[in-house]
């Protein structure tokens, strides 16, 4: 009988990241109902979802001395309650012979692993199910009377990973080193399965735990070797449970059950925003499995006739769990914080759809003898097919079986024979064999644990906390060489990963003092600072080899001393180590405490890691491309049209072609998307796949020259328009670093509805007079001048006032384009909001362009012949020359040039070539002699003096540049203010003249009317002349009476014709 998939949701407490950001709780639960509130509309009605179980694990708990989190009220759901509701049902179904599947779904960090595996004394579903399973087996055996009738209970475990559609066997270290994926095959009885997947026999939960740890270690090594992102991988642990017992008739019966424990990749990876607008939208298979899983669940929920199981490796292997012979449970892990609202809402909707899925589980029970007989008959049939020419010949074809058909038949024959042999072999025999094979590994693990207690060592640090500490390298007494597998003499500690040289570093352990020194130009970073000289390591130091091999140094004797003094500190986390690298790079600081600052720091840290790895891959594959972190302020992104509260600086990745000098800006999402494609290409590269050298069109490192890029922005002050005054501006075009990249010619002209400028316009004394009146004006973008020489074509676009869409000019060729763009705007009438816009805001005009693809190489020399690494060094040298030689000349300049050349030959990874000694962690003291033990006192003193002089010179240069920048900014602002002041004065003068002329005009008009009236009365009296006295009375000007002739009148008189 079909039954629905059981769905449970569980919300965790706030994590440290959310607490730092003062996150708001947006999840509520009541019974089986879960509510989520939009943080932007907290007063609105929340969205409600109903599930089989809604677990509240956010608060109302207390941590016991042993670490277990127990409830203090009825609301909190602890690990035991979750197991009783979900895990116990899985266990009971396994005993009955049903296949079971347990999914964990949710974004990275939402608590999936905690529910599945647990943490310390808070055991999760997996360990509790396995522990109870073996307890049940022991109880069954003890209850059996006759030894022969005890039955056979076999437990086996397999573990695999799906990453980028590649399937890896995590219990076989040889297969994860091989190129390509393991094969997924289909069988009428078994469904989809992985060929030759390792299944290991186990007899207790500790043995299962050891196997899972072994698989996790292999997974860690594989992700480092292949530069893969662990949170993008799916892990499937399958527990195979077989019971061979006798029924009431004495017949041997076999029940089989497979319990699939599935930890899905972070659900936020499904989003394809990074691919939007990118030419390589379909290039990556990273998200294919989760996308396909969503499609399968949608199709199953809507009862569609066709279910696309074959679209991905994940959905193939989970076909039974989703729509076949299995009892299935899904746990959706939720974040409670407002900052994860969109991801949490997506998870709830996914879980809501999964409720509608139905599966039909059947008991997997067959007579053992019958199974052996069926396999024997199947083998006989396959042998007959092979002898008679295969499937083609049986069906009446003229030709014999193809080589592919024969291979498939032979493989099936071997698989059947293997299963028969396993059935004939007793459980005790196979268990004894497996235990012998595992004994050596167990002894090795014990020795390693004892060795870790007394010997300094490194342990790996991974973004996935479950993978941290899985790889350990010892620093035995004497010298230890660290390098890649390509080392001629063989490295004592072989590392794989980005930027690892054959001879990378040397460790010296002398009487408990551990020193590290990089070999040649190899990159070694200690506590966020790159080192070039011999440096002493201390307990909990963070050491980065190359670009992504991150380790924590553990010193047992120092750790015990710290513990004795009561100054122990927790081990550094992956996020802390990455933030430290960003701080040392000068991109983030500890000063930021606001929510926006914390978000910015987190994004900078994430993009910096991508940049470092992308540069390392570019060097190894010689892509001649360099990447940098770029910060774009809200003003540069046209976020000027409203309050900027809550709007933060955007982090982007700058891409520069080292041959042409062209550059582009990638958004964070696009950088993540391209980074995934780079990882995929790098895997092919290190696997020596002949197809790794792809065409430009398919290369994630390459960007076409004609790709649009923002040259900069220009600001236009609209205040003058509020006085009905024309504006003519030659605005500077600033890039994201505020450097001037050209000038934009702009005009704003008040006009009539026919687009004709209004000449005799009445200027306003106060801008508030504009409210309620009609305003028509023409906005003109005439052209640009002085654009960068590498710009082939350019155009402008902007949003005026409340526009939702951009207004764009035509695209024009050249570095001095004439856009000749104009647009008529009518505001009838002017509102207070519009007036505020004119007074308080600037019109931001974005200038975009396309770069030249065929640049002259005269200035670049033989750049195309140089490797990427040398090009990066040369660029840093050029940048350093521009900064350090400012104001120098003669011998001083030559000496600095010679010194810098030597420094750059030594160090290609720092802005300067000076060695900065690494400070020991807090609470420890370490003299300079320990960090520079190979130097003489004279050399040490000279280095200190050089460092002090360099730091002093560098500080002077920094202050000089700051002063120059401030002076230039002040000059620019003063010039702008002076120009604005002059315009205001001119406007006031024009207004004064206008008022004076208006007054004179009114007086003259009045005078003219009086004279006309006098003339009319004179004519009525029959007179032909006006007396001077009458005219004086009319004009109210006594001076007229002294005039003998009318022609010699004052300024008020009018000449009568």
């Amino acid at each position: 009988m079909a039954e629905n998939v059981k769905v449970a949701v569980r919300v965790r407490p706030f994590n440290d990241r959310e607490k730092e950001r003062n996150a708001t709780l947006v999840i509520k639960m009541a019974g089986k109902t879960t509510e989520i509130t939009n943080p932007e509309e907290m007063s609105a009605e929340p969205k409600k979802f109903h599930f089989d179980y809604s677990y509240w694990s956010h608060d109302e708990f207390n941590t016991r001395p042993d670490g277990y989190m127990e409830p203090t009220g009825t609301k909190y759901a602890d690990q035991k309650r979750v197991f009783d509701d979900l895990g116990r049902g899985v266990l009971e179904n396994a005993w009955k012979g049903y296949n079971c599947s347990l999914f964990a779904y949710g974004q990275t960090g939402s608590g999936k692993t905690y529910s599945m595996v647990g943490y310390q004394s808070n055991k999760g579903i997996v360990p509790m199910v396995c522990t109870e399973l073996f307890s049940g087996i022991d109880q069954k055996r003890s209850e059996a009377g006759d030894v022969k009738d005890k039955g056979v209970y076999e437990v086996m475990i397999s573990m695999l990973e799906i990453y980028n559609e590649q399937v890896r066997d995590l219990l076989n270290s040889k297969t994860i080193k091989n190129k390509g994926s393991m094969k997924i095959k289909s069988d009428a009885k078994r469904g989809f399965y992985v060929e030759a997947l390792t299944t290991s026999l186990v007899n207790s939960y500790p043995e299962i735990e050891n196997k899972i740890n072994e698989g996790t270690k292999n997974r860690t090594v594989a992700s480092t070797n292949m530069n893969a992102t662990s949170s993008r991988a799916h892990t499937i642990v399958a527990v195979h449970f077989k019971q061979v017992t006798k029924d009431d008739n004495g017949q041997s019966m076999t029940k089989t059950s497979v319990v699939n424990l599935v930890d899905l990749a972070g659900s936020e990876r499904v989003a394809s925003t990074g691919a939007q607008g990118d030419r390589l939208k379909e290039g990556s298979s990273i998200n294919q499995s989760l996308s396909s899983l969503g499609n399968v669940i949608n199709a199953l929920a809507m009862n569609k006739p066709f279910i696309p199981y074959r679209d991905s490796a994940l959905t193939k292997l989970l076909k039974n769990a989703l729509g076949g012979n299995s009892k299935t449970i899904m746990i959706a892990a939720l974040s409670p914080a407002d900052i994860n609202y969109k991801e949490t809402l997506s998870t709830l909707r996914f879980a809501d759809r999964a409720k509608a899925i139905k599966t039909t589980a059947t008991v997997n029970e067959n007579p053992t003898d019958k199974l052996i007989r069926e396999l024997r008959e199947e083998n006989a049939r396959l042998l007959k097919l092979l002898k008679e020419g295969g499937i083609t010949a049986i069906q009446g074809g003229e030709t014999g079986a193809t080589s592919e058909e024969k291979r498939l038949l032979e493989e099936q024959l071997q698989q059947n024979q293997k299963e028969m042999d396993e059935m004939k072999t007793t459980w005790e025999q196979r268990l004894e064999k497996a235990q012998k094979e595992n004994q050596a590994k167990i002894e090795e693990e014990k020795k390693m644990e004892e060795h870790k207690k007394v010997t300094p060592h490194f342990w790996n640090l991974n973004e996935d906390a479950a993978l941290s500490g899985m790889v350990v390298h010892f620093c035995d007494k004497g010298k230890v060489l660290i390098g890649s597998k390509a080392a001629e003499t063989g490295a004592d500690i072989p590392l794989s990963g980005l930027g690892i040289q054959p001879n990378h570093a040397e460790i010296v352990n002398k009487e408990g003092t551990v020193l590290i020194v990089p070999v040649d130009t190899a990159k070694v970073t200690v506590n966020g600072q790159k080192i070039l000289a011999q440096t002493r390591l201390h307990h909990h130091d963070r050491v980065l080899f190359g670009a992504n091999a991150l380790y924590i140094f553990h010193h047992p004797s120092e750790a015990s001393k710290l513990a004795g003094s009561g100054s122990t500190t927790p081990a550094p986390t992956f996020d802390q180590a990455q933030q430290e690298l960003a701080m040392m790079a000068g991109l983030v600081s500890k000063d930021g405490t606001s929510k926006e600052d914390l978000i910015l720091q987190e994004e900078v840290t994430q993009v910096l890691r991508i940049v470092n790895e992308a540069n390392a891959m570019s060097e190894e594959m010689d892509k001649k491309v360099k990447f940098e972190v770029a910060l774009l302020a809200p003003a540069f992104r046209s976020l000027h049209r409203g309050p900027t509260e809550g709007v933060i600086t955007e982090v982007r990745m700058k891409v520069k072609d080292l041959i042409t000098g062209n550059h582009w800006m990638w958004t964070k999402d696009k950088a993540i998307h391209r980074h995934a494609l780079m990882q995929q290409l790098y895997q092919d590269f290190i696997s020596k796949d002949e197809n790794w050298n792809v065409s430009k069109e398919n290369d994630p490192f390459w960007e076409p020259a004609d790709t649009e890029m923002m040259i900069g922005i220009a600001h236009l002050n609209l205040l003058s328009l509020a006085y009905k005054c024309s504006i003519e501006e030659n605005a500077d075009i600033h890039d994201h670093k505020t450097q001037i990249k050209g000038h934009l010619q702009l005009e704003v002209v008040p006009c009539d509805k026919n687009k004709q400028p209004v000449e005799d316009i009445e200027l306003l004394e106060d801008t508030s007079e504009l409210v309620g009146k009609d305003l028509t004006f023409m906005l003109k973008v005439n052209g640009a001048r002085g654009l960068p020489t590498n710009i082939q074509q350019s155009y402008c676009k902007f949003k005026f006032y409340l526009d939702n869409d951009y207004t764009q000019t035509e695209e024009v060729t050249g570095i001095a384009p004439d856009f000749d763009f104009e647009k008529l705007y009518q505001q009838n009438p002017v509102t207070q909001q519009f007036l505020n816009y004119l007074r308080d805001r600037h019109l931001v005009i974005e200038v975009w362009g396309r770069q030249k693809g065929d640049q002259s190489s005269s200035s670049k020399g033989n750049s195309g012949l140089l490797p990427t690494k040398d090009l990066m060094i040369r660029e840093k040298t050029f940048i350093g020359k521009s900064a350090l030689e400012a104001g120098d000349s003669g011998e001083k300049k030559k000496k600095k040039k010679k010194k810098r050349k030597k420094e750059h030959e030594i160090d290609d990874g720092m802005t300067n070539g000076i060695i900065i000694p690494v400070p020991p962690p807090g609470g420890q003291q370490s003299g300079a002699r320990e960090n520079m033990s190979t130097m003489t006192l004279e050399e040490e003193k000279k280095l200190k003096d050089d460092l002090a002089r360099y730091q002093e010179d560098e500080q002077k240069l920094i202050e000089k540049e700051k002063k120059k920048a401030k002076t230039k900014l002040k000059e620019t602002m003063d010039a702008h203010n002076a120009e604005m002041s002059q315009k205001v004065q001119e406007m006031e003068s024009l207004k004064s003249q206008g008022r004076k002329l208006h007054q004179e005009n009114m007086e003259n008009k009045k005078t003219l009317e009086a004279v006309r009236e006098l003339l009319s009365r004179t004519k009525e009296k029959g007179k032909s002349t006006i007396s001077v006295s009458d005219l004086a009375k009319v004009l109210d000007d006594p001076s007229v009476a002294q005039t003998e002739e009318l022609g010699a009148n004052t300024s008020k008189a009018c000449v009568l014709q």
Side-chain angles (χ1 to χ4, degrees):
M1 180 179 177
E3 60 181 47
N4 290 81
V5 171
K6 284 187 178 181
V7 178
V9 295
R10 189 179 191 187
V11 61
R12 59 163 173 76
F14 285 133
N15 58 27
D16 291 339
R17 168 175 165 266
E18 292 160 348
K19 289 177 182 176
E20 288 175 357
R21 294 190 184 183
N22 297 319
T24 303
L25 180 66
V26 295
I27 296 290
K28 289 184 179 179
M29 290 181 175
K32 297 183 178 182
T33 302
T34 298
E35 298 180 1
I36 184 169
T37 304
N38 188 340
E40 296 179 0
E41 302 174 1
M42 293 297 287
S43 59
E45 184 72 17
K47 294 179 174 62
K48 297 182 179 181
F49 300 87
H50 303 278
F51 301 102
D52 296 289
Y53 301 96
S54 288
Y55 293 120
W56 181 264
S57 299
H58 179 70
D59 55 14
E60 295 191 12
F61 65 90
N62 178 53
T63 304
R64 296 190 318 214
D66 62 354
Y68 185 79
M69 291 184 284
E70 61 181 1
T72 57
T74 57
K75 194 174 182 181
Y76 182 78
D78 63 352
Q79 296 287 63
K80 183 179 183 302
R81 177 176 163 188
V82 175
F83 171 73
D84 288 339
D85 289 344
L86 304 178
R88 203 166 291 284
V90 170
L91 188 65
E92 291 173 358
N93 288 324
W95 277 105
K96 293 176 182 177
Y98 290 108
N99 292 333
C100 306
S101 297
L102 183 62
F103 290 88
Y105 183 85
Q107 73 179 111
T108 301
S110 59
K112 301 190 303 294
T113 304
Y114 180 79
S115 294
M116 293 287 282
V117 180
Y119 179 72
Q120 295 180 351
S121 58
N122 297 277
K123 300 295 183 184
I125 293 176
V126 174
M128 294 175 81
V129 165
C130 295
T131 301
E132 290 290 322
L133 177 63
F134 285 108
S135 297
I137 291 174
D138 292 339
Q139 185 177 352
K140 291 275 187 182
R141 287 172 176 167
S142 63
E143 290 175 353
D146 193 344
V147 176
K148 295 181 180 180
D149 297 329
K150 278 187 178 181
V152 176
Y153 302 94
E154 304 178 3
V155 181
M156 294 181 289
I157 184 174
S158 64
M159 187 174 181
L160 62 85
E161 177 186 69
I162 302 172
Y163 178 82
N164 199 21
E165 287 302 287
Q166 305 287 307
V167 181
R168 302 184 185 126
D169 183 354
L170 294 179
L171 296 184
N172 188 342
S173 58
K174 294 180 180 179
T175 60
I176 63 174
K177 297 176 184 177
N178 295 337
K179 174 184 171 296
S181 170
M182 297 184 70
K183 294 179 181 178
I184 298 178
K185 294 196 169 184
S186 179
D187 180 79
K189 295 180 181 179
R190 300 171 61 185
F192 289 105
Y193 66 95
V194 179
E195 183 184 31
L197 182 66
T198 302
T199 53
S200 300
L201 279 71
V202 288
N203 199 34
S204 64
Y205 174 68
E207 291 185 16
I208 289 182
E209 194 173 33
N210 286 336
K211 283 296 177 183
I212 291 177
N213 288 340
E214 179 186 340
T216 304
K217 180 178 179 181
N218 288 333
R219 180 185 171 199
T220 306
V221 173
S223 66
T224 305
N225 291 354
M226 307 301 286
N227 189 35
T229 306
S230 59
S231 59
R232 292 175 179 262
H234 314 281
T235 307
I236 302 177
V237 176
V239 178
H240 305 259
F241 180 40
K242 181 187 291 187
Q243 310 168 62
V244 182
T245 58
K246 290 186 178 181
D247 60 11
D248 296 337
N249 299 322
Q251 185 178 16
S252 178
M253 302 293 292
T254 300
K255 283 184 184 178
T256 58
S257 174
V258 179
V259 180
N260 287 305
L261 306 167
V262 186
D263 189 358
L264 296 171
S267 58
E268 74 280 358
R269 304 301 180 180
V270 179
S272 59
T273 53
Q276 291 178 0
D278 194 354
R279 61 187 175 83
L280 296 176
K281 288 182 181 180
E282 306 301 329
S284 175
S285 302
I286 291 291
N287 295 330
Q288 183 174 335
S289 287
L290 272 182
S291 299
S292 299
L293 179 62
N295 294 336
V296 166
I297 287 179
N298 284 338
L300 289 168
M302 298 173 67
N303 291 319
K304 290 185 177 180
F306 173 73
I307 311 298
Y309 291 113
R310 293 181 176 271
D311 285 358
S312 73
L314 178 67
T315 49
K316 285 178 184 177
L317 295 177
L318 297 182
K319 181 180 178 181
N320 276 342
L322 294 171
N325 178 22
S326 176
K327 288 182 177 288
T328 303
I329 299 172
M330 175 181 289
I331 300 179
L334 309 178
S335 163
D338 57 333
I339 56 178
N340 296 318
Y341 168 75
K342 291 182 179 179
E343 294 295 345
T344 303
L345 179 60
S346 175
T347 300
L348 286 168
R349 286 172 173 165
F350 185 91
D352 193 54
R353 290 194 299 271
K355 289 190 309 183
I357 299 175
K358 293 181 180 291
T359 61
T360 305
T362 58
V363 176
N364 304 308
E365 184 177 25
N366 283 293
T368 308
D369 295 336
K370 180 183 176 183
L371 288 175
I372 296 175
R373 185 177 70 252
E374 286 178 349
L375 286 170
R376 190 179 290 119
E377 290 173 354
E378 175 70 8
N379 273 9
R381 187 181 69 83
L382 292 173
L383 283 170
K384 182 179 179 182
L385 282 175
L386 285 171
K387 290 178 181 178
E388 295 181 357
I391 298 171
T392 307
I394 294 296
Q395 293 177 346
E398 295 181 1
T399 59
T402 64
S403 59
E404 179 64 16
E405 287 175 344
K406 287 184 178 180
R407 187 184 64 80
L408 292 173
L409 291 172
E410 289 171 352
E411 287 180 357
Q412 185 62 48
L413 188 66
Q414 292 173 1
Q415 182 66 28
N416 289 348
Q417 188 62 46
K418 180 182 177 182
E419 290 184 17
M420 282 195 297
D421 292 341
E422 287 181 353
M423 288 182 181
K424 291 178 180 178
T425 307
T426 64
W427 162 253
E428 287 78 9
Q429 290 173 327
R430 282 185 288 151
L431 183 61
E432 183 181 358
K433 181 181 178 182
Q435 287 179 333
K436 287 181 179 179
E437 292 174 354
N438 293 333
Q439 191 62 36
K441 292 182 180 180
I442 295 172
E443 292 298 326
E444 186 178 346
E445 288 292 329
K446 289 181 179 180
K447 288 180 181 179
M448 178 178 288
E449 290 301 319
E450 293 299 320
H451 200 32
K452 284 164 64 175
K453 295 177 181 179
V454 296
T455 307
H457 58 272
F458 296 102
W459 54 268
N460 75 298
L461 194 59
N462 194 284
E463 63 176 334
D464 186 346
L467 303 186
S468 292
M470 288 294 167
V471 179
V472 177
H473 298 298
F474 290 99
C475 304
D476 295 318
K477 291 182 179 179
K479 291 185 178 181
V480 178
L481 178 64
I482 299 175
S484 68
K485 297 175 182 177
E488 294 181 1
T489 56
D492 301 303
I493 299 179
L495 296 180
S496 297
L498 290 170
I500 302 298
Q501 305 299 320
N503 296 318
H504 198 92
E506 195 174 76
I507 302 291
V508 179
N509 183 352
K510 187 176 182 181
E511 297 179 356
T513 299
V514 180
L515 305 170
I516 183 171
V517 59
V519 177
D520 297 330
T521 60
K523 184 178 179 181
V524 178
T525 305
V526 179
N527 299 337
Q529 295 178 331
K530 181 172 179 179
I531 62 169
L532 298 178
Q534 194 173 65
T535 303
R536 181 174 178 177
L537 295 178
H538 297 275
H539 183 61
H540 279 176
D541 275 353
R542 286 75 62 202
V543 185
L544 178 65
F545 299 98
N548 66 341
L550 183 59
Y551 288 84
I552 300 297
F553 177 71
H554 182 90
H555 200 302
S557 61
E558 286 188 7
S560 61
K561 289 179 182 178
L562 290 171
S565 62
S567 58
T568 57
T569 55
T573 65
F574 181 84
D575 290 338
Q576 289 171 344
Q578 293 296 328
Q579 189 173 20
E580 181 179 55
L581 291 168
M583 287 178 59
M584 291 303 177
L587 294 171
V588 300
S589 68
K590 290 184 177 179
D591 298 335
T593 56
S594 68
K595 190 173 183 178
E596 289 75 18
D597 288 339
L598 293 171
I599 293 173
L600 178 61
Q601 290 181 8
E602 186 176 317
E603 291 187 349
V604 166
T605 301
Q606 181 185 14
V607 175
L608 178 62
R609 183 183 172 207
I610 293 175
V611 164
N612 289 336
E613 292 186 4
N615 279 329
M617 287 187 279
S618 178
E619 282 189 16
E620 285 197 38
M621 293 188 279
D622 198 20
K623 291 296 181 178
K624 295 180 172 54
V625 179
K626 181 185 176 183
F627 303 92
E628 297 175 1
V629 176
L631 303 179
L632 272 62
F636 187 76
R637 290 149 46 215
S638 302
L639 299 179
H640 60 285
R641 300 162 61 228
T644 56
E645 183 180 354
V647 179
I648 65 172
T649 299
E650 183 176 325
V651 184
R652 295 197 180 183
M653 187 159 84
K654 181 180 178 181
V655 187
K656 183 170 184 179
D657 188 320
L658 295 175
I659 302 299
T660 65
N662 288 341
H663 66 273
W664 302 268
M665 286 288 186
W666 288 352
T667 63
K668 187 187 75 170
D669 288 331
K670 183 173 181 178
I672 292 172
H673 174 67
R674 285 295 187 94
H675 179 241
L677 297 173
M678 292 175 191
Q679 290 176 315
Q680 188 173 331
L681 187 65
Y682 182 75
Q683 291 174 21
D684 293 337
F685 171 74
I686 61 175
S687 300
K688 298 182 180 179
D689 191 314
E690 58 183 10
N691 297 320
W692 79 266
N693 199 7
V694 297
S695 63
K696 281 186 175 181
E697 290 72 21
N698 296 318
D699 192 342
F701 291 88
W702 183 73
E703 197 70 44
D706 61 355
T707 299
E708 293 182 347
M709 52 85 66
M710 189 188 290
I711 301 171
I713 58 171
H715 290 262
L716 179 63
N717 191 322
L718 299 171
L719 177 61
S720 296
L721 185 60
Y723 290 96
K724 285 192 173 182
C725 183
S726 299
I727 303 172
E728 188 174 348
E729 185 82 23
N730 196 31
D732 293 338
I733 302 171
H734 293 275
D735 67 2
H736 72 286
K737 293 183 178 180
T738 69
Q739 295 177 348
I740 296 177
K741 294 297 180 181
H743 305 279
L744 197 61
Q745 299 170 343
L746 305 169
E747 280 187 73
V748 180
V749 182
C751 59
D752 56 26
K753 295 180 180 180
N754 297 322
K755 300 185 180 182
Q756 298 302 316
V758 179
E759 296 180 358
D760 298 330
I761 191 168
E762 184 180 352
L763 301 178
L764 304 178
E765 291 187 4
D766 191 337
T767 57
S768 59
E769 297 177 21
L770 190 63
V771 177
K773 297 182 179 180
D774 294 345
L775 179 64
T776 303
F777 60 92
M778 183 75 70
L779 176 61
K780 297 181 179 181
V781 182
N782 296 324
R785 297 294 182 267
L787 296 181
T789 56
N790 67 326
I791 298 300
Q792 179 75 32
Q793 294 175 303
S794 59
Y795 67 89
C796 301
K797 66 178 184 178
F798 58 89
K799 290 181 180 179
F800 183 81
Y801 191 37
L802 300 178
D803 290 348
N804 291 320
D805 300 321
Y806 276 102
T807 298
Q808 182 173 318
T809 70
E810 291 186 359
E811 199 163 329
V812 183
T813 303
I815 61 173
D818 292 322
F819 299 117
D820 296 329
F821 171 86
E822 58 183 31
K823 184 176 180 179
L824 186 70
Y825 286 92
Q826 293 178 323
Q827 188 67 25
N828 301 329
V830 172
T831 63
Q832 185 64 46
Q833 182 183 7
F834 181 74
L835 179 60
N836 293 340
Y837 172 75
L838 296 182
R839 292 191 306 195
D840 303 334
R841 304 291 176 192
H842 291 77
L843 175 63
V844 179
I845 302 177
E846 301 177 9
V847 184
W848 288 75
R850 303 180 192 275
Q851 299 167 99
K852 297 177 183 177
D854 185 19
Q855 300 237 22
S856 173
S857 60
S858 58
S859 63
K860 300 289 180 180
N862 59 345
S863 298
L865 302 178
L866 292 174
T868 302
K869 185 175 182 179
D870 291 347
L871 290 174
M872 289 186 178
I873 294 173
R874 192 175 73 170
E875 176 156 322
K876 287 179 180 177
T877 305
F878 177 76
I879 294 172
K881 179 179 178 180
S882 301
L884 294 174
E885 289 187 356
D888 289 349
S889 60
E891 292 300 320
K892 189 176 179 181
K893 182 182 276 189
K894 291 180 181 179
K895 288 180 180 179
K896 285 192 174 184
K897 184 176 181 181
K898 185 176 180 181
K899 181 181 178 182
R900 267 198 321 280
K901 182 178 179 182
K902 184 176 180 181
E903 289 168 353
H904 281 288
E905 287 174 355
I906 297 172
D907 176 25
D908 63 303
M910 299 176 66
T911 306
N912 55 67
I914 295 297
I915 304 166
I916 303 176
V918 180
Q924 301 179 32
Q925 298 296 326
S926 175
R929 290 289 301 162
E930 294 173 323
N931 277 339
M932 311 169 189
S933 59
T934 58
M935 299 181 184
T936 63
L937 289 173
E938 292 76 9
E939 289 173 334
E940 183 177 331
K941 184 177 184 302
K942 185 177 181 302
L943 178 60
K944 285 182 178 180
D945 293 341
D946 288 344
L947 178 59
R949 280 196 301 272
Y950 181 84
Q951 289 174 336
E952 184 179 355
D953 292 343
E954 187 178 36
Q955 189 62 34
K956 288 180 180 178
L957 284 170
I958 291 172
E959 293 299 327
K960 186 176 179 181
E961 290 299 320
K962 283 183 178 179
K963 188 175 180 181
K964 284 174 62 179
K966 287 181 180 178
T967 303
K968 187 172 182 180
L969 180 61
K970 186 177 184 302
E971 291 173 353
T972 303
M973 292 299 296
D974 290 345
H976 179 73
N977 291 335
E979 186 178 356
M980 288 299 299
S981 177
Q982 183 181 354
K983 287 185 177 181
V984 171
Q985 290 176 5
E986 291 175 356
M987 184 176 65
E988 292 295 333
S989 177
L990 289 171
K991 287 169 64 178
S992 178
Q993 293 176 17
R995 285 193 296 270
K996 184 177 180 181
L997 288 172
H998 177 70
Q999 184 178 356
E1000 290 180 355
N1001 183 48
M1002 294 302 294
E1003 291 178 354
N1004 289 337
K1005 185 176 179 181
K1006 182 178 179 182
T1007 301
L1008 182 59
E1009 291 296 328
V1011 173
R1012 282 177 178 171
E1013 185 179 352
L1014 177 62
L1015 180 61
S1016 176
R1017 289 199 305 269
T1018 303
K1019 286 182 178 180
E1020 289 176 357
K1021 294 178 180 180
K1023 296 181 179 181
S1024 59
T1025 59
I1026 300 174
S1027 68
V1028 174
S1029 59
D1030 290 341
L1031 182 61
K1033 290 179 182 179
V1034 171
L1035 298 177
D1036 192 23
D1037 189 349
S1039 63
V1040 177
Q1042 306 299 323
T1043 307
E1044 295 181 357
E1045 297 181 4
L1046 188 60
N1049 202 356
T1050 64
S1051 59
K1052 283 188 175 182
C1054 296
V1055 179
L1056 299 175
Q1057 299 296 331

